[in-house]
Structure formats: structure tokens, C-alpha cells
């Protein structure tokens, strides 16, 4: 079907043809016509809605993940469960139906619990990842707007700029220095330059310079393109069979746990073989010895360990999300607890990101501006009097305000009872300042229509616009705004009180220093009249401009960020500010926030560039503020800090920040202001672009790690204590104090009832009062192993001691075993209370302080007590587990023998605090 035929049909009749059309072969006008769009106004909202309903959302249909049955069966793929299943099979062959049934039942329960917890964890993390949406800038009904990329339809007119992620396959209509990273699609290692000219049909995908494809990133420049394919019809969609919807829950910690489990497997098998040999050597029957060996194996297996690790990490992710930090890569949860340095951007992260012009220097005169925010309330004052623009005394001021209004890609609009900024905060401040004297974008853009633009790029530090000034005189005017350094080097004249005069850079720099000392961000403005032309290039603004003035803008520190910085410092975490702002501006804000105290802690990008490696590393460690830093220097700073053993969290929002974010131990991207390429490179996104959320994530990360230590410190002593009991009983050739079936009950009750609540344990108040964890520290550290050994010995004494005592005094094995088991459970309950926040939080609440109580352990204890009552007192359970009912006095004795663990825990807490 030809393009002409397509154009004559309705859109709905030709959808399938449009999705498979060779768009790179058509001229720009024909593409727009074929898609029923408009080259300037784009689609109407009504037509876009109709197309969206017809074609669906612009998102890939992910390949289905593993089926629920397969994921369920994979829960059995654990070395420790292999041992249980083998023990169950042999027990079944021995026709010990009850014991075999309980072993298989416990194994199945463990698998079901693991499946449910892993499914919930995957679901929670997948939901968070879906909450991070990519937005696109497009034109509909002639108005520029931003929408979720899923809302795009064929024919939409999309605008691209540096750092953007291409939201769909686009046929380019206009480009300005556009370079696109298509490495993910084509394998091309360097960004590809783009153009608009039509190409031959046989042009390979990688050489289609007039097309950009979904998922690629804009490295440089600007462009306008029309959507020609969405969702599965995009080039990325055609190769998306490899995309799966599953979420990877593996982290370094879970892999270490897997490694620990395999090592434990060999230890258990070794002990089992030794036990079997000793039993046979003592003349016992092989069936009795096998049962004792099964008891040892069952006692040594920590069934709940893998599940508790996964669910604790998942809960940590959910808690961080509630505090505006979305984890994109699960290992970041662990690394956060080890962070020693946070390198943070200033604007919008440490500060409010609500810029307001407060000082203006123009024509040799000083002005102040009243009012805050984006509302046009306030006025411009000189000598505390409102400026009177009648006459020629303030021409430079007027020109500076015009420059700030015209050399500007943002706008402010009224909505929902407030003035909202669409664009960047700095440009919003310039618009507001001009609005305060009656200048408006609509009127000024009509009077001086824009012809062309050179967009802001970080390496050039300026933006320039070309406007039609006087058609009759064939004159255009250029306005330039940017950093003081970038503007001054292009100027040779300036305005003073009498008119134009030679530029006095020293005087201007003095004014800049004065503003910067007050914490103001300083922008410079310049202009140049040129002969009529239709395009603007960098050669036009290399020299010969007239300096108009300075505008000093304040972005006050966030109150919550000041508190967060203090909290980080108390936790042994250094906070370093990295910014593109002037050094004096950055230092002033840093002093207000308590980040730096002396000028020796402030370095500029220029100073860093002149240092050798040793000096640079020293500056990176000692410096607290790094101003006017180039993107490649951010990467160098991260490497320098890491070389000195620091664990670095780095924030970034621009396309050039991606390498530093990838290099950092924790890359933190801004969810609101961040470029898509920065978000893709990051481990964590801040949904509110607020530094306080980083501190909150570190806090939660530390809490997660402490909860994992608590779970291990609680679980392993149970298994070790049981194993010691069985092993010593075999060595002494005595009756087993606990049977395999009873051990399984103990382990499952401990895992489900008492360990899972530890995953929900709130962080302690001291978590940010301690230094960062050494990342090379093993989870089973020396101090933790000593704690595990001490509690294990106590558990063994309770089981073995109570059993022998009751057996010798009553001769009743069932009663002795029942009391030994209940004594151990009582010890577990008291130990749990001694390492959790439940009792401390309850005491604080009773004292009248509004502190939430950590109820999870209490709920677990109630469940376990009920189950133990059934275990001991219910006749059916007595028959299954070989137990006998206890009297009230016997139950109290069981509680009493478990109580001393509290004092042991208190002693251990002094040497190895878990809270």
C-alpha cells in the first residue's frame, strides 16, 4: 500500500499498515500527513484519546515470568531440604508413618511459607518499579505538555533534549546537534549523530539517521520527532522476547546465606556420619541409631533462615518507598547500611528548589526584589523605593529582566489556587522577577518573536536565543544567560549609569562575590544586535556582546535537609556538597547547613583540574564543598573516595552524571528533576528529590541489617542447642531428650511464630548514633558467633538439664521431654523479648511519650504460647508428638528455667549490642 493510499483512508482503517511502514523512506511532510498529525500543533487531545483507546498503552508486553507451579517447586531446590526429604523417605521405608508424615508436612509448610513470602517480596518490588514512570515532552493542541510515555500514540509530536530517554520510535522532523546513544539496540559504542533527510529503503537499522528508537538516550542536542511506532511495534518491542516480568531477589547477602547453607550441609552430613558410626560402635541397633541421626540432622537445619532474609530485605524496600526512596536494585538495601560518604547535589536536594531573585546588579546600580516563590507579588526596589521606569535611568535593569524572560524555556501558570512552574526553578525565578514590573512572556514573545535557540549544555554553561528585533532595519537581537565566567569572556562592553562603557570585569567579579557571600546563585546576562539571520550558532556569541547585569537568586536550604545532615554526621557519615554553582554561593549554603566550617574545605573544579592524583585524593577526603565541578570530575571524586576505603552514595540528575552514578556504591537519581539516563543508572530514586530521603534510606538500611543480625542471633542458637543435645546424648548413650518429630515442631514454631516478627522490628533510636558498618565485616562476625555459642550452651543446658531432672525424679520420659521442650520455648520467648524493641517501646509509651509500640514480637509470642498449650495439653497432639499434659506448677517451672537467658542476654548486649 502506498503512502498516498494510506493518507486517504481513515486512521482506524490503516493501523496495521502504519505499524509496519518504512518511515525512514518518507519526507518529513509526508510522514506528518500520513499519520494525520500537524507539524506544529501536533494531535488534538480528542484525537489522541481516541487513538489511545484504539491502540492501547505505549508499553511492552513483558514475557510471562515463571509459572506459579514452577516457582513453588523451586522452593524445594535447597540443599538443606534435600536432607529433610531424604530423612523422610527413609523414615517412611521404616514404616514410622507419624514421624515420616510430620517430616514431609514440615518440609511442605516451609516450602509454602517460602513461596508466599517470596511472592509477596517480588510483588512489592515489582510494584515499586512500575511506579517509576518515564515522562515525555510533547505538543498537543499547539501546547507543550508532559505526559507519561505510556500515553503516547501514533502521530504525537515529541520534543527531545539532552538526557531524555526516547519514549517511542520517532521519525525526526527537526534536529539541532542531536546525538543519540543507541548502544542497547544496535551495539554502537558511541552516540550517533542524527539528521532529517529521507533514506533509501534498504538502509540498515543502525544507519537510519532520521529515526530514533524507544529505549535509546539523547546524549546531546535537541530534536522534534513524530511517533511512528509504540509498544510492541517498536524496534525494541520486536526483540523483547528476552524481557521477563520476574524480579531478581538475589543480593550479595542472600548469596552468602546460600553459601553458608551449603557449608552447613557438609557439616551436618559429617556430624550425621559420625553420629551413625558412634551409635553402631556402641552396639545400638541401626534403626535406633538412624532415628537418632535423623534427630541430629533435623535439629541442625535452620529451615526459616532463607525466608527470613528475603522477607526482611523486601520489608526494608517497602519502608524506604514510604519514605520517598525507591530501591531499583535490591543489593542497595545492604550497601546503604555501610555508607560512609554522601556526595549530594545542592539545588533541589539540599535546598527547597523554589528559587527567588533577591538582588539585581545592572547599569552600575544595586536593586533588591521583594516577594518569594513564583507568585508575581512584590516589587523591585532601589534605596528602599520602588523603581520608576519613566526615563532612561534603569535601561540596563529593564534589559536584564527582558533577557531573563526571553532567554527562557519555562513558564508559570495558575492552577489549583497557586502559581505552578512548568520548567526549571532558576528560569521560574527570572520569569517572576520580570512579572513584578509588568513584563509578561506572552506580550514580550509577541513583540520579539524567537527565531532560534542554543540550549543550555553543562560544558558551555550558557543558553542563547535569537529574536526578531526590527524587520524593517533587518535587525535581530541575541540574548544570553549563564554563568558569570561564561558570559564575561564573551563581552567587551557593559551598561553603566551613563550608558554603554568598556567592560570592567573586576567590578563585576566584586559584585558576584558580594552576592555569593549571601548565599545567592548568580546568573549573568548579555545581549548583541546582529543582522537578520534564521539560525544561531556558537560563533555568533563568541565575542562582541554587551554585558547587561547580574541577578542573584536564593534557594533556601530545606529545614528537613539541615536536620538530615546533622543526623548523618552523628552517624559517622560525611556529607559533601557537589554543585555547579559558584564556590562562594555553595560555601554560604554549606555553612548554613553545617556541612563545612572553613574555606579550606571548599574546592573548585578548576583547582581540582590542576592537582595530581595524590593531591586530588587528599582534596576529595578533606574537602566538604566542591563547586563548579565538571561531570567527569564527579566520577574522579567517587573513585578517589573509594580508593581510600569509603562507601560512597552519589546523587545526580543530568545525562553527564550517569558514569558517576554507576561508579558509586549507591547511585541516587532525582525522581522529579532527573534525566532518564540518570534514573536508569541509579540504584535508588528519590521521588521528592530531597536529601532527607537519602538519610531516611540509610537509616532504614541500617535497620534492615540489624534485623537480619537479630534473626540469625535468635535462630541459630536454637538449632545448635538442639544439635548439642542430640550429639551429647548419643555420646553418653542415653535416651534422646527430644525426638526428631518434636525437633521439627520446635523449629517450625520458632521460625514462624518468633522469627518472622523480627523482620517487622522497627529500627532503634540509636541506629543513627553509631558509625557505619564495615562492608567487609562478615554477617557471622566474631562477636555474633560468641553470642550464638553462649545462647546455644544455655539452650542445651535447659533441654538436657530439665529432661534429666524430670526423668530421674519421675521416670516419665514423655513428661521429661514435654517439660524440656516447653522450657526451651520459654527461653526463646524471653530471649526474643530481650533483643527486640517491644518492652522498651512499651515502657516509653507507658511514660506518656507518643512513641509507637513494636507489637510484632508480642503477636508472635501470643501465637507461640497458644500453639505450645495445644502441643502439651491436647490429646491428639499428645499422640502425634509423644507429649503429655502439664500441671500449672510444671508450666511455671518451665517458665522459670527459661528466665535466666534474660540476664545472659543483658551481659552479651554490653559487648555485642543488637539494637
Amino acid at each position: 500500500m502506498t503512502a498516498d493510499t494510506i493518507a486517504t483512508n481513515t486512521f482506524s482503517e490503516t493501523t496495521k499498515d502504519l505499524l509496519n511502514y518504512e518511515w525512514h523512506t518518507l519526507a518529513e511532510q509526508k510522514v506528518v500527513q500520513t499519520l494525520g498529525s500537524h507539524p506544529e500543533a501536533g494531535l488534538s487531545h480528542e484525537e489522541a484519546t481516541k487513538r489511545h483507546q484504539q491502540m492501547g498503552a505505549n508499553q511492552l508486553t513483558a514475557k510471562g515470568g515463571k509459572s506459579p507451579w514452577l516457582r513453588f517447586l523451586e522452593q524445594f531446590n535447597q540443599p538443606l531440604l534435600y536432607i529433610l526429604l531424604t530423612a523422610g523417605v527413609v523414615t517412611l521405608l521404616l514404616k514410622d508413618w507419624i514421624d515420616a508424615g510430620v517430616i514431609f508436612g514440615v518440609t511442605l509448610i516451609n516450602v509454602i511459607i517460602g513461596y508466599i513470602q517470596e511472592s509477596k517480596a517480588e510483588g512489592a518490588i515489582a510494584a515499586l518499579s512500575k511506579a517509576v514512570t518515564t515522562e515525555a515532552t510533547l505538543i498537543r493542541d499547539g501546547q507543550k505538555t508532559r505526559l507519561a510515555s505510556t500515553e503516547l500514540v501514533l502521530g504525537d509530536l515529541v520534543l527531545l533534549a539532552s538526557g531524555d530517554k526516547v519514549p517511542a520510535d520517532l521519525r525526526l522532523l527537526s534536529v539541532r546537534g542531536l546525538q543519540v546513544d543507541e548502544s542497547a539496540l544496535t551495539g554502537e559504542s558511541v552516540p550517533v549523530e542524527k539528521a532529517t533527510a529521507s533514506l533509501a529503503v534498504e538502509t540498515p537499522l543502525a544507519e537510519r539517521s532520521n529515526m530514533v528508537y524507544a529505549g535509546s538516550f539523547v546524549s546531546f542536542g535537541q530534536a522534534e520527532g513524530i511517533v511512528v511506532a509504540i509498544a510492541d511495534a517498536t524496534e525494541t518491542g520486536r526483540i523483547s522476547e528476552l524481557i521477563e516480568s520476574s524480579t531478581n531477589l538475589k543480593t550479595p547477602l542472600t548469596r552468602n546465606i546460600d553459601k553458608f547453607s551449603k557449608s552447613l550441609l557438609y557439616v551436618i552430613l559429617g556430624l550425621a556420619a559420625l553420629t551413625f558410626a558412634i551409635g553402631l560402635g556402641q552396639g545400638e541397633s541401626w534403626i535406633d541409631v538412624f532415628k537418632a541421626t535423623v534427630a541430629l540432622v533435623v535439629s541442625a537445619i535452620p529451615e526459616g533462615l532463607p525466608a527470613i532474609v528475603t522477607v526482611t530485605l523486601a520489608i526494608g524496600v517497602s519502608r524506604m518507598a514510604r519514605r520517598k526512596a525507591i530501591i531499583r536494585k535490591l543489593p542497595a538495601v545492604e550497601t546503604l547500611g555501610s555508607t560512609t560518604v554522601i556526595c549530594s547535589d545542592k539545588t533541589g536536594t539540599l535546598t527547597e528548589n523554589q528559587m527567588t531573585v533577591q538582588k539585581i546588579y545592572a547599569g552600575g546600580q544595586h536593586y533588591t526584589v521583594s516577594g518569594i516563590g513564583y507568585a508575581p507579588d512584590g516589587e523591585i526596589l532601589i534605596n528602599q523605593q520602588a523603581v520608576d521606569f519613566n526615563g532612561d535611568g534603569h535601561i540596563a535593569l529593564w534589559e536584564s529582566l527582558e533577557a531573563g524572560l526571553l532567554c527562557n524555556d519555562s513558564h508559570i501558570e495558575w492552577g489549583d489556587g497557586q502559581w505552578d512552574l512548568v520548567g526549571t526553578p532558576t528560569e521560574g525565578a527570572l520569569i517572576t522577577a520580570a512579572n513584578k514590573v509588568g513584563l509578561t512572556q506572552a506580550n514580550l514573545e509577541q513583540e520579539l518573536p524567537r527565531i532560534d535557540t542554543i540550549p543550555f549544555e553543562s560544558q558551555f554553561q550558557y543558553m542563547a536565543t535569537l529574536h526578531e528585533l526590527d524587520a524593517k532595519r533587518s535587525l535581530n537581537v541575541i540574548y544570553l544567560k549563564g554563568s558569570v565566567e561564561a558570559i564575561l569572556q564573551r563581552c567587551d562592553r557593559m551598561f553603566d549609569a551613563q550608558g554603554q562603557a568598556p567592560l570592567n570585569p573586576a567590578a563585576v567579579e566584586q559584585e558576584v562575590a558580594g552576592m555569593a557571600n549571601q548565599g545567592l546563585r548568580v546568573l549573568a546576562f548579555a545581549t548583541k544586535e546582529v543582522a537578520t539571520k534564521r539560525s544561531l550558532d556558537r560563533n555568533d556569541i563568541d565575542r562582541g556582546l554587551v554585558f547587561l547585569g547580574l541577578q542573584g537568586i536564593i534557594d533556601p536550604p530545606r529545614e528537613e535537609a539541615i536536620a538530615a545532615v546533622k543526623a548523618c554526621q552523628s552517624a559517622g557519615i560525611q556529607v559533601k556538597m557537589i554543585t555547579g554553582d559558584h564556590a562562594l554561593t555553595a560555601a554560604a549554603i554549606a555553612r548554613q547547613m553545617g556541612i563545612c566550617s572553613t574555606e579550606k574545605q571548599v574546592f573548585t573544579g578548576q583547582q581540582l583540574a590542576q592537582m595530581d592524583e595524590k593531591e586530588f585524593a587528599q582534596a576529595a577526603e578533606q574537602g566538604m564543598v566542591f563547586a563548579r565541578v565538571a561531570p567527569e570530575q564527579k566520577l574522579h571524586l567517587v573513585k578517589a573516595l573509594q580508593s581510600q576505603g569509603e562507601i560512597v552514595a552519589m546523587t545526580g540528575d543530568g545525562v553527564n552524571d550517569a558514569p558517576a552514578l554507576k561508579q558509586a556504591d549507591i547511585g541516587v537519581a532525582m525522581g522529579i528533576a532527573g534525566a532518564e539516563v540518570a534514573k536508569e543508572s541509579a540504584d535508588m530514586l528519590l521521588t521528592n528529590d530531597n536529601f532527607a530521603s537519602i538519610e531516611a534510606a540509610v537509616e532504614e538500611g541500617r535497620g534492615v541489617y540489624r534485623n537480619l543480625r537479630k534473626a540469625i542471633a535468635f535462630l541459630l542458637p536454637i538449632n545448635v542447642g538442639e544439635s548439642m543435645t542430640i550429639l551429647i546424648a548419643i555420646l553418653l548413650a542415653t535416651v534422646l531428650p527430644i525426638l526428631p518429630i518434636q525437633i521439627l515442631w520446635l523449629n517450625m514454631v520458632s521460625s514462624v511464630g518468633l522469627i518472622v516478627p523480627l523482620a517487622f522490628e522497627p529500627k532503634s533510636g540509636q541506629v543513627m548514633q553509631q558509625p557505619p558498618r564495615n562492608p567487609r565485616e562478615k554477617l557471622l562476625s566474631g562477636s555474633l558467633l560468641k553470642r550464638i555459642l553462649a545462647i546455644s550452651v544455655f539452650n542445651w543446658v535447659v533441654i538436657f538439664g530439665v529432661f534429666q531432672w524430670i526423668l530421674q525424679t519421675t521416670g516419665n520420659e514423655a513428661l521429661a521431654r514435654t517439660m524440656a521442650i516447653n522450657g526451651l520455648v520459654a527461653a526463646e520467648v524471653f530471649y526474643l523479648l530481650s533483643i527486640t524493641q517491644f518492652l522498651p517501646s512499651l515502657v516509653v509509651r507507658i511514660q506518656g511519650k507518643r512513641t509507637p509500640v513494636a507489637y510484632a514480637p508480642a503477636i508472635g509470642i501470643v501465637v507461640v504460647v497458644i500453639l505450645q498449650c495445644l502441643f502439651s495439653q491436647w490429646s491428639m497432639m499428645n499422640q502425634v508428638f509423644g507429649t503429655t499434659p502439664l500441671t500449672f506448677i510444671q508450666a511455671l517451672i518451665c517458665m522459670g528455667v527459661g528466665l535466666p537467658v534474660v540476664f545472659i542476654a543483658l551481659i552479651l548486649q554490653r559487648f555485642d549490642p543488637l539494637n
Side-chain angles (χ1 to χ4, degrees):
M1 182 176 288
T2 66
D4 293 332
T5 306
I6 293 175
T8 59
N9 292 332
T10 63
F11 182 83
S12 60
E13 290 173 333
T14 61
T15 299
K16 292 183 180 178
D17 301 285
L18 291 171
L19 292 175
N20 297 296
Y21 209 77
E22 300 288 354
W23 297 105
H24 63 282
T25 66
L26 292 182
E28 299 94 288
Q29 299 87 343
K30 181 61 70 174
V31 174
V32 176
Q33 177 187 350
T34 301
L35 290 165
S37 188
H38 190 279
E40 295 177 1
L43 296 174
S44 67
H45 285 287
E46 181 182 357
E47 177 64 20
T49 301
K50 187 187 304 180
R51 295 186 183 190
H52 189 268
Q53 291 172 348
Q54 177 186 338
M55 303 193 69
N58 175 33
Q59 58 188 18
L60 296 178
T61 304
K63 179 183 176 182
K66 296 175 183 175
S67 68
W69 276 111
L70 181 58
R71 288 193 291 121
F72 178 77
L73 292 175
E74 284 184 341
Q75 297 298 318
F76 288 94
N77 188 22
Q78 299 178 37
L80 298 180
L81 288 188
Y82 295 160
I83 302 177
L84 275 183
L85 290 171
T86 303
V89 169
V90 177
T91 305
L92 193 64
L93 293 175
L94 294 176
K95 297 183 180 181
D96 193 341
W97 311 117
I98 293 179
D99 279 18
V102 172
I103 290 175
F104 287 132
V106 167
T107 304
L108 183 61
I109 290 171
N110 187 72
V111 165
I112 291 172
I113 292 171
Y115 173 77
I116 293 172
Q117 290 177 338
E118 187 172 293
S119 297
K120 286 183 177 180
E122 288 186 354
I125 295 168
L128 289 176
S129 65
K130 290 178 182 177
V132 182
T133 58
T134 300
E135 289 192 335
T137 303
L138 61 153
I139 296 175
R140 283 186 182 170
D141 281 329
Q143 297 292 318
K144 186 165 72 171
T145 185
R146 282 186 69 80
L147 292 174
S149 60
T150 55
E151 299 294 317
L152 290 181
V153 297
L154 295 191
D156 261 327
L157 207 57
V158 176
L159 303 178
L160 298 174
S162 294
D164 285 350
K165 183 179 183 180
V166 179
D169 286 1
L170 309 178
R171 169 64 164 89
L172 296 172
L173 303 180
S174 66
V175 299
R176 181 169 193 85
L178 185 69
Q179 296 180 15
V180 179
D181 179 0
E182 296 179 340
S183 57
L185 184 64
T186 66
E188 180 66 46
S189 60
V190 297
V192 180
E193 292 188 9
K194 295 292 181 176
T196 59
S198 302
L199 301 169
V201 174
E202 64 273 11
T203 306
L205 179 72
E207 296 177 14
R208 294 178 186 174
S209 58
N210 60 8
M211 299 285 296
V212 290
Y213 299 102
S216 52
F217 291 97
V218 179
S219 301
F220 188 84
Q222 294 177 317
E224 183 180 275
I226 189 167
V227 176
V228 297
I230 61 171
D232 294 339
T234 62
E235 292 296 334
T236 301
R238 294 178 185 182
I239 59 172
S240 64
E241 288 81 5
L242 299 178
I243 299 175
E244 293 192 7
S245 60
S246 61
T247 303
N248 184 14
L249 293 178
K250 286 294 182 183
T251 75
L253 179 60
T254 57
R255 284 190 284 270
N256 285 338
I257 293 295
D258 290 343
K259 187 177 179 181
F260 168 74
S261 297
K262 290 178 181 177
S263 300
L264 184 62
L265 169 66
Y266 300 132
V267 172
I268 291 172
L269 291 176
L271 287 175
L274 178 64
T275 301
F276 196 78
I278 291 173
L280 291 178
Q282 292 175 339
E284 302 287 339
S285 71
W286 76 269
I287 294 179
D288 291 338
V289 173
F290 176 77
K291 288 183 178 181
T293 304
V294 168
L296 177 66
V297 167
V298 169
S299 68
I301 295 176
E303 294 93 342
L305 186 58
I308 193 67
V309 171
T310 299
V311 75
T312 303
L313 289 172
I315 290 169
V317 169
S318 298
R319 286 177 174 174
M320 291 177 192
R322 286 197 293 270
R323 301 185 72 176
K324 310 300 183 183
I326 294 181
I327 299 297
R328 294 187 67 251
K329 300 170 185 175
L330 199 56
V333 179
E334 303 166 32
T335 313
L336 279 165
S338 306
T339 302
T340 59
V341 177
I342 300 175
C343 297
S344 176
D345 189 22
K346 177 179 73 67
T347 304
T349 307
L350 292 169
T351 58
E352 291 283 1
N353 206 18
Q354 292 186 354
M355 307 286 266
T356 304
V357 175
Q358 288 193 343
K359 303 285 183 181
I360 299 176
Y361 172 76
Q365 300 187 81
H366 301 88
Y367 303 89
T368 58
V369 185
S370 63
I372 58 172
Y374 301 126
D377 301 326
E379 52 191 359
I380 298 179
L381 309 171
I382 183 169
N383 299 324
Q384 299 184 340
Q385 298 292 322
V387 171
D388 181 6
F389 285 100
N390 294 321
D392 298 329
H394 306 289
I395 293 176
L397 171 62
W398 188 264
E399 287 268 1
S400 294
L401 293 172
E402 282 191 340
L405 198 57
L406 289 170
C407 191
N408 197 311
D409 282 334
S410 302
H411 65 275
I412 294 173
E413 56 188 30
W414 178 259
D416 297 328
Q418 64 180 10
W419 292 96
D420 292 322
L421 171 66
V422 180
T424 64
T426 299
E427 291 190 332
L430 301 177
I431 295 170
T432 305
N435 290 164
K436 290 175 182 178
V437 298
L439 286 169
T440 65
Q441 277 180 307
N443 292 338
L444 205 54
E445 287 173 355
Q446 187 174 2
E447 181 182 339
L448 299 170
R450 185 187 294 192
I451 300 170
D452 200 7
T453 305
I454 295 178
F456 179 86
E457 295 284 352
S458 58
Q459 61 264 52
F460 295 110
Q461 294 288 316
Y462 67 78
M463 172 186 175
T465 54
L466 175 67
H467 301 264
E468 184 179 312
L469 178 61
D470 190 336
K472 293 181 180 179
R473 295 168 53 204
S474 299
L475 278 179
N476 289 348
V477 63
I478 298 171
Y479 284 113
L480 201 69
K481 82 164 187 285
S483 69
V484 176
E485 294 91 337
I487 302 302
L488 283 184
Q489 68 183 5
R490 291 169 169 80
C491 297
D492 53 25
R493 290 166 295 154
M494 65 183 293
F495 276 100
D496 61 14
Q498 284 73 43
Q500 290 193 23
L503 180 69
N504 184 350
V508 176
E509 290 287 358
Q510 186 176 352
E511 297 297 334
V512 171
M515 289 185 180
N517 281 330
Q518 300 174 56
L520 297 174
R521 181 181 182 185
V522 184
L523 283 181
F525 301 85
T527 187
K528 180 182 182 181
E529 291 185 4
V530 294
T532 299
K533 57 187 305 180
R534 302 310 302 171
S535 64
L536 182 62
D537 60 48
R538 300 195 188 277
N539 291 330
D540 295 324
I541 54 176
D542 271 351
R543 63 183 64 85
L545 276 79
V546 179
F547 176 75
L548 293 176
L550 308 169
Q551 294 194 41
I553 306 169
I554 186 69
D555 183 13
R558 296 177 184 262
E559 290 298 324
E560 63 271 27
I562 295 174
V565 167
K566 186 176 181 180
C568 286
Q569 291 169 340
S570 298
I573 301 170
Q574 298 182 69
V575 178
K576 298 177 184 286
M577 178 191 292
I578 300 179
T579 178
D581 266 356
H582 195 282
L584 291 173
T585 306
I589 296 294
R591 281 194 294 271
Q592 292 180 45
M593 303 193 71
I595 292 175
C596 78
S597 55
T598 68
E599 293 183 2
K600 292 181 180 179
Q601 295 175 307
V602 181
F603 293 92
T604 66
Q606 187 176 11
Q607 290 173 319
L608 294 175
Q610 296 171 354
M611 296 179 181
D612 58 29
E613 286 296 321
K614 184 177 180 181
E615 292 172 333
F616 191 99
Q618 189 175 4
E621 186 67 27
Q622 296 178 356
M624 303 305 291
V625 177
F626 301 91
R628 287 288 194 259
V629 173
E632 60 271 16
Q633 289 177 320
K634 281 190 176 183
L635 177 61
H636 198 177
L637 282 168
V638 173
K639 289 181 177 179
L641 289 168
Q642 289 174 329
S643 69
Q644 298 180 60
E646 305 286 3
I647 304 301
V648 183
M650 167 69 77
T651 71
D653 56 11
V655 61
N656 290 322
D657 292 331
L661 292 177
K662 285 184 178 180
Q663 177 66 34
D665 299 282
I666 297 287
V668 183
M670 304 298 110
I672 299 173
E676 292 303 325
V677 66
K679 295 178 186 178
E680 293 283 338
S681 303
D683 303 288
M684 183 171 77
L685 298 182
L686 303 185
T687 59
N688 58 356
D689 291 7
N690 191 336
F691 179 84
S693 297
I694 304 177
E695 183 273 335
V698 171
E699 193 175 326
E700 294 294 345
R702 289 188 173 194
V704 165
Y705 192 82
R706 287 180 179 274
N707 285 352
L708 287 173
R709 288 189 82 241
K710 286 181 184 179
I712 291 171
F714 180 83
L715 179 64
L716 292 187
I718 298 172
N719 297 104
V720 176
E722 293 167 349
S723 300
M724 288 174 63
T725 300
I726 301 299
L727 189 59
I728 292 174
I730 292 172
L731 291 173
L732 297 177
T734 64
V735 178
L736 291 180
I738 44 178
L739 301 175
I741 193 172
Q742 295 169 340
I743 293 171
L744 285 172
W745 168 268
L746 273 170
N747 288 356
M748 292 311 298
V749 167
S750 302
S751 297
V752 177
L754 299 179
I755 297 176
V756 171
L758 287 173
F760 296 89
E761 177 81 345
K763 58 192 173 299
S764 71
Q766 290 78 41
V767 73
M768 292 298 282
Q769 303 296 321
Q770 297 164 356
R773 175 179 61 87
N774 185 341
R776 287 175 287 278
E777 177 187 82
K778 294 182 179 179
L779 187 61
L780 286 172
S781 61
S783 59
L784 186 59
L785 285 172
K786 291 175 183 176
R787 170 186 281 272
I788 290 171
L789 181 60
I791 302 299
S792 297
V793 170
F794 177 82
N795 289 343
W796 167 72
V797 169
V798 168
I799 301 170
F800 206 85
V802 170
F803 175 79
Q804 290 295 335
W805 173 40
I806 300 300
L807 182 63
Q808 292 177 16
T809 55
T810 67
N812 188 335
E813 286 187 16
L815 177 63
R817 288 192 176 110
T818 304
M819 292 188 67
I821 292 167
N822 280 287
L824 177 61
V825 172
E828 292 176 19
V829 169
F830 287 126
Y831 184 47
L832 181 73
L833 289 174
S834 68
I835 64 174
T836 64
Q837 298 293 308
F838 173 64
L839 290 180
S841 65
L842 188 61
V843 170
V844 171
R845 189 62 180 264
I846 291 172
Q847 292 173 347
K849 298 180 181 179
R850 297 182 62 84
T851 303
V853 179
Y855 285 112
I859 295 171
I861 289 170
V862 170
V863 170
V864 167
V865 169
I866 293 172
L867 290 174
Q868 280 304 121
C869 288
L870 294 174
F871 177 80
S872 302
Q873 309 302 115
W874 190 18
S875 59
M876 181 180 293
M877 298 288 273
N878 295 152
Q879 292 177 3
V880 172
F881 289 98
T883 56
T884 189
L886 300 180
T887 65
F888 180 71
I889 298 298
Q890 290 169 338
L892 286 179
I893 291 172
C894 293
M895 291 180 62
V897 297
L899 189 60
V901 75
V902 174
F903 303 103
I904 298 174
L906 289 174
I907 295 171
L908 292 172
Q909 191 72 5
R910 295 177 63 89
F911 301 100
D912 178 39
L914 289 176
N915 289 326

